[in-house]
Structures are given as structure tokens and as C-alpha cells.
């Protein structure tokens, strides 16, 4: 039997749990919007065409922020097409689809209100630029008395939205991106756009595009260059990452190790630029696309054939995927001092925790569960826990800790979340919780005999117990567990 230990002490903290870490993403891609969150005529749709069953699941999942409208889609998007009575039908070149524009900014904002989520808008810096970004911001946030704000009122929205979070384009380092740019080109454009947007609304928070993933040949250099251009004008730098099993289960289970290194590298680069420029302001990170994306396993299409709402990347997730997604959330929380926004991609149908049938039901995928439980129970302040555990050998990332863990403390108790990354060995965990003086513990676990089965159950972890200030439990191989300690 393998053993691991750690200590939970409220004296050692990382940062408050920022609710914005539990974000998601809605892109005009495949069936995320159309027949995902929006399906007029569906039996569960309200009078605005929003699927209430999907809103209920998003609420159950604890989604806090939703990024919109892309993704690659935004780099060819004309936001004006999606407001007012005339909605032109357009080709979307990013995903080779037909965009009807039936759903646009005002529909999204009404949906966000119904779903109780904060909007995070992206502007098009692919085919468009500073002027269109400012027009959109003026339409959304300016009170009244100007062309764009009065047009919003004419469209039935008198009160400005006051949208705070804005992404300056999407994955502009990627050659696949419509209007792809070099770091110099993007850095200058983003800086000028950010400055002009702040003239329209000084209260906004701006996200600069980092690399599309840490394997990009320009990774690191891209971050340094774009930050040198735009450091003073922005608040966040973005990260995106998707992982897949690709025939290597032990390596896949260690994916969060890579996410952790990715975050640390971007923090180091941002702080290097801060030192180089002699600034005191800190740039935080927006991990605004992350998930498992099984490109090799998925047998369907990754782009359309110029039809409306094609079925694209509708991955069916497994028990192993759920454990890895749970580990990503642990990692994001462990970096809560610098990662202050994060969006799981995407909310409905596209590599999503929520799947829907057109005209039919909506259901939870395996990855829904660790997200929902983490969002519900990780509250208050993130504690600095330093697990001591055996190592697992992987061909992808070398030797990695078998145990991944994070803890939070709040007014009613504490939460410990743990992943056993071994495919074969259970792990005996001892957590020293004396400093918390807990009165009781309950524990839940996701662990299935077949890591590739496409459903999971959240079961009680019966063996968890308190024993003289020590929390003891056995974590099954390839499992995700959540312990809730009552302290009042
Ligand atoms: O989420 C799917 C796509 O992945 C997004 O459109 C893009 O930003 C990323 O490459």
C-alpha cells in the first residue's frame, strides 16, 4: 500500500477562492449556442428560446463567468450582425458553418442574466480592430445619448450592461486564427485597442492573448513581447490548454502537472516583464480555455460543411476524463494567487459537461461532477498544502507525484480535494487537520473499475474518518475525492 500525507493549517493561505475560477465558455460553434443553450420551440425553452434545462444544469454546475462569442469564431465576427431586427446570414470561416445571427449580444446578455452568470466578452482583433471594439463597448456599456448607446436602447435595452471582462481577441498567435498576427503586430494592436477601450469605459478589465498552448513554437517569447507592448493597458494574460489520453493513460492522468508548469512559466514571464519595465502592477492570468479534448478518439467532425449548427467535437467523456478535469480544478485553485479567471471550454455540446439532444433531453457528462462539487465546496480561502506522496512514472511528463491535492477553509468548515493519479495503486492518505479542530468529516469519491466507461457515480467514501486530529482515508487508484470537514 502507498502512503501520502499533508497538513491543513488555516495559518498558511494562498488566496481567496475567486468565484471567477468556475467559469465556462459559449462559442458560436457547432451546437453550443443553437440547440445547446438556445432552441426556440424546445419543450424546455422559455419565451426567449433559452433552454431552461440547460440553464438549470449550468446553475447546478456552479458556473460563474461565461466567455462569449468565441473562440476562433470571434476573429471573423461582425457583432453588429447579431443585434437589432436585421440579422444577415453569414459564412463562418473559422468552423465552416452558416451563422444565422439569430442569437447575438442582447440574447447572450439576457441568457447570462437568466443563468446568473457574469459575461466575459471577446472582441474581434482578427478581421477587425480598435474602432469596432470601441463601438461594441459603447453599445454595451455607455449609458445613452450617443449613436451606439441609443441604438442599444432602440433594440430594447435602455440600461447599459456594464460588462467588466473583455478579451482582446482570441489565440492571435495561432496560424489557424483568422487574421493571425505576429507578437509585434498583435502587441501593438492590443495595446492601442486597450487604451481606446478604456477611454470609452475606464472600469473594464482587459485580457491580453497569451499562447494558444504551451507547445506553440513561440510560447514564452510571445508572452514577453505582447506584454512589453501592452503591460500598462491590460489586467490579465490568457492561457489555453486542452489535453487528451491518446493511448497513454498514465501520461494523461498527469496532465495537470503540465497545466501547473504552464501556469508557473507564464507567471515567471509576466513577472520578468514587470521587472524589465520597472513596474509595480501585477498581471494576473485568465485561463480562459481549458479542458480534455479527445481529438484522436473523436470520430465525428471538427469543422462543418457550411451548414447551420453542425455536430462538431461532441466528445463523450469517460471516468478518467472526470478525474483529470478534477485535477485541473485542483491546479487552478493551487494557483489562485495568480489565476483569477478560468473558463472550462465549452458549456454545451462542444467538448462539454452538458450535452443536449435537439428537441430532446439535456444531460450531465462525467466531467460535470468534479466541476459541480468543486464549485460548490471550494469556498473561502485556498490553503497552502504540500502533499508528500510516492511518485508515478509517466513517459509524457517523467516522474510525477501520485497525489494531487488542494484545500480551502471557510466559515463553516474546510474542504480537501484529492486525486490519486496511479492507474493501479490505492493510496493511504493521512491529513493532519488538528489546526482546524474539525468535528466530523464526510467524503465523496469518483472511481470506476473501468476508466473508459462513459458514466460515473459520485459515491460516499466510506472509509474516511477522523482519528485524533488526523483525517485518514484510502484513495482508490485513478480517483477523485472530496472531503468536507465541519468545524462549527
Ligand atoms: O474551444 C474550441 C476552440 O479551441 C476555440 O474556438 C479556440 O479558441 C481553441 O483553439
Amino acid at each position: 500500500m502507498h502512503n501520502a500525507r499533508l497538513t491543513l493549517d488555516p495559518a498558511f493561505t494562498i488566496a481567496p477562492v475567486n468565484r471567477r475560477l468556475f467559469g465556462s465558455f459559449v462559442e458560436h460553434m457547432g451546437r453550443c449556442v443553437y440547440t445547446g443553450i438556445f432552441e426556440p420551440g424546445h419543450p424546455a425553452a422559455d419565451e426567449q428560446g433559452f433552454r431552461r434545462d440547460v440553464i438549470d444544469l449550468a446553475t447546478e454546475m456552479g458556473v460563474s463567468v461565461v466567455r462569449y462569442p468565441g473562440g476562433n469564431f470571434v476573429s471573423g465576427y461582425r457583432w453588429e450582425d447579431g443585434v437589432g431586427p436585421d440579422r444577415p446570414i453569414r459564412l463562418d470561416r473559422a468552423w465552416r458553418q452558416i451563422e444565422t445571427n439569430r442569437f447575438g449580444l442582447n440574447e447572450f446578455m439576457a441568457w447570462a442574466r437568466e443563468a446568473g452568470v457574469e459575461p466575459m466578452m471577446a472582441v474581434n482583433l482578427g478581421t477587425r480592430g480598435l474602432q469596432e471594439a470601441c463601438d461594441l463597448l459603447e453599445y454595451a456599456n455607455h449609458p445613452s445619448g450617443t449613436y451606439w448607446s441609443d441604438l442599444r436602447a432602440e433594440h430594447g435595452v435602455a440600461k447599459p450592461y456594464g460588462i467588466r471582462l473583455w478579451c482582446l481577441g482570441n489565440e492571435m498567435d495561432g496560424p489557424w486564427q483568422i487574421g493571425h498576427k505576429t507578437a509585434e503586430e498583435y502587441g501593438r494592436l492590443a495595446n492601442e485597442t486597450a487604451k481606446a477601450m478604456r477611454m470609452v469605459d475606464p472600469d473594464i478589465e482587459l485580457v491580453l492573448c497569451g499562447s494558444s498552448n504551451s507547445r506553440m513554437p513561440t510560447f514564452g517569447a510571445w508572452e514577453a513581447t505582447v506584454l512589453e507592448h501592452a503591460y500598462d493597458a491590460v489586467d490579465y494574460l490568457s492561457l489555453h490548454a486542452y489535453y487528451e489520453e491518446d493511448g497513454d493513460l498514465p501520461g494523461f492522468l498527469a496532465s495537470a502537472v503540465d497545466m501547473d508548469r504552464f501556469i508557473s512559466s507564464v507567471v515567471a514571464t509576466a513577472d520578468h516583464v514587470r521587472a524589465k519595465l520597472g513596474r509595480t502592477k501585477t498581471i494576473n492570468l485568465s485561463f480562459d480555455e481549458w479542458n480534455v479534448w479527445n481529438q484522436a478518439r473523436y470520430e465525428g467532425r471538427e469543422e462543418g460543411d457550411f451548414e447551420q449548427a453542425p455536430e462538431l467535437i461532441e466528445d463523450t467523456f469517460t471516468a478518467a476524463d472526470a478525474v483529470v478535469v478534477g485535477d485541473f480544478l485542483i491546479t487552478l485553485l493551487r494557483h489562485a494567487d495568480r489565476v483569477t479567471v478560468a473558463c472550462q471550454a465549452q458549456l454545451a455540446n462542444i467538448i462539454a459537461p452538458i450535452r443536449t439532444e435537439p428537441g430532446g433531453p439535456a444531460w450531465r457528462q462525467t466531467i460535470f461532477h468534479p466541476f459541480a462539487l468543486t464549485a460548490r465546496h471550494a469556498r473561502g480561502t485556498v490553503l497552502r498544502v504540500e502533499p508528500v506522496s510516492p511518485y508515478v512514472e509517466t513517459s509524457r511528463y517523467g516522474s510525477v507525484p501520485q497525489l494531487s491535492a488542494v484545500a480551502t477553509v471557510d466559515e463553516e468548515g474546510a474542504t480537501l480535494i484529492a486525486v490519486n493519479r496511479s492507474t493501479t495503486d490505492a493510496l493511504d492518505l493521512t491529513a493532519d487537520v488538528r489546526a482546524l479542530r474539525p468535528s466530523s468529516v464526510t467524503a465523496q469519491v469518483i472511481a470506476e473499475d473501468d476508466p473508459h466507461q462513459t458514466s460515473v457515480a459520485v459515491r460516499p467514501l466510506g472509509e474516511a474518518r477522523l482519528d485524533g486530529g488526523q483525517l485518514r482515508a484510502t484513495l482508490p487508484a485513478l480517483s477523485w475525492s472530496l472531503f468536507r470537514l465541519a468545524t462549527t
Side-chain angles (χ1 to χ4, degrees), residues 25 27 29 71-72 95 170-171 176 240 242 289 293 345-346:
F25 173 34
E27 178 168 7
M29 174 180 178
N72 296 343
W95 299 110
N170 176 72
E171 295 190 348
W176 59 85
H240 289 182
Y242 295 97
E289 284 188 35
W293 179 348
Q346 299 184 7

Side-chain angles (χ1 to χ4, degrees), residues 387-403:
V388 177
S389 92
Y391 283 78
V392 184
E393 292 309 317
T394 72
S395 46
R396 242 189 258 188
Y397 305 117
S399 199
V400 307
Q402 184 176 346
L403 175 67

Side-chain angles (χ1 to χ4, degrees), residues 275-290:
K276 192 170 168 191
L277 299 179
R279 300 294 192 269
T280 49
K281 169 177 135 182
T282 297
I283 297 286
N284 283 328
L285 309 191
S286 170
F287 213 126
D288 46 44
E289 284 188 35
W290 66 265

Side-chain angles (χ1 to χ4, degrees), residues 26 31-33 35-39 49-51 54 103 111 347-348:
V26 165
R31 298 195 311 109
C32 189
V33 172
T35 72
I37 63 168
F38 178 70
E39 191 176 348
F50 306 150
R51 285 188 62 154
V54 175
F103 189 97
W111 178 86
L347 184 67

Side-chain angles (χ1 to χ4, degrees), residues 106-404:
N106 294 319
E107 287 77 18
F108 175 69
M109 291 304 295
W111 178 86
R113 194 175 48 243
E114 293 297 311
V117 301
E118 180 184 1
M120 180 182 194
M121 294 297 301
V123 302
N124 174 355
L125 291 188
T127 58
R128 311 189 96 190
L130 182 159
Q131 184 61 57
E132 294 87 350
C134 289
D135 293 347
L136 168 56
L137 179 59
E138 186 181 320
Y139 180 95
N141 284 9
H142 192 72
S144 64
T146 65
Y147 174 78
W148 291 110
S149 55
D150 288 348
L151 189 64
R152 183 194 67 238
E154 217 174 278
H155 294 161
V157 185
K159 237 178 112 208
Y161 290 123
I163 300 170
R164 297 288 301 256
L165 280 169
W166 294 82
C167 302
L168 295 160
N170 176 72
E171 295 190 348
M172 298 308 304
D173 63 321
W176 59 85
Q177 201 67 214
I178 298 172
H180 163 232
K181 294 179 174 44
T182 65
E184 293 285 350
E185 289 165 347
Y186 172 69
R188 262 191 59 69
L189 174 62
N191 184 46
E192 294 306 322
T193 305
K195 281 164 35 191
M197 288 176 77
R198 286 196 193 285
M199 292 175 190
V200 178
D201 182 348
D203 294 332
I204 55 176
E205 298 171 48
L206 289 165
V207 185
L208 185 68
C209 283
S211 296
S212 303
N213 60 68
S214 60
R215 297 175 313 282
M216 295 298 290
T218 48
F219 174 54
W222 172 276
E223 278 74 6
T225 304
V226 298
L227 276 175
E228 280 180 32
H229 279 285
Y231 199 92
D232 296 332
V234 303
D235 305 285
Y236 306 90
L237 182 63
S238 77
L239 298 84
H240 289 182
Y242 295 97
Y243 296 87
E244 66 180 320
E245 184 177 334
D246 208 5
D248 172 13
L249 184 57
F252 174 58
L253 289 171
S255 297
V257 171
D258 185 72
M259 181 191 243
D260 176 70
R261 290 176 189 160
F262 185 17
I263 294 169
S264 298
S265 307
V266 177
V267 166
T269 308
D271 292 351
H272 162 76
V273 177
R274 179 177 62 187
K276 192 170 168 191
L277 299 179
R279 300 294 192 269
T280 49
K281 169 177 135 182
T282 297
I283 297 286
N284 283 328
L285 309 191
S286 170
F287 213 126
D288 46 44
E289 284 188 35
W290 66 265
N291 205 351
V292 172
W293 179 348
N294 284 300
Q295 291 183 297
R297 191 174 72 200
Y298 183 66
E299 286 172 356
R301 288 184 302 161
E302 300 225 330
E303 59 176 26
D305 200 9
F306 288 126
E307 73 264 47
Q308 286 178 26
E311 204 175 291
L312 305 181
I313 58 169
E314 299 197 6
D315 255 22
T316 298
F317 290 110
T318 65
D321 296 335
V323 171
V324 169
V325 161
D327 204 359
F328 290 153
L329 288 160
I330 289 174
T331 308
L332 293 168
L333 284 164
R334 287 179 64 89
H335 285 280
D337 54 339
R338 294 302 291 271
V339 181
T340 51
V341 182
C343 304
Q344 166 278 326
Q346 299 184 7
L347 184 67
N349 292 323
I350 301 284
I351 42 172
I354 301 171
R355 287 277 292 277
T356 69
E357 200 69 63
W363 68 94
R364 303 166 189 81
Q365 292 228 66
T366 61
I367 63 169
F368 181 99
H369 302 284
F371 190 110
L373 288 165
T374 304
R376 186 176 327 146
H377 294 291
R379 315 191 285 263
T381 304
V382 186
L383 295 184
R384 188 169 296 286
V385 295
E386 300 297 348
V388 177
S389 92
Y391 283 78
V392 184
E393 292 309 317
T394 72
S395 46
R396 242 189 258 188
Y397 305 117
S399 199
V400 307
Q402 184 176 346
L403 175 67
S404 169

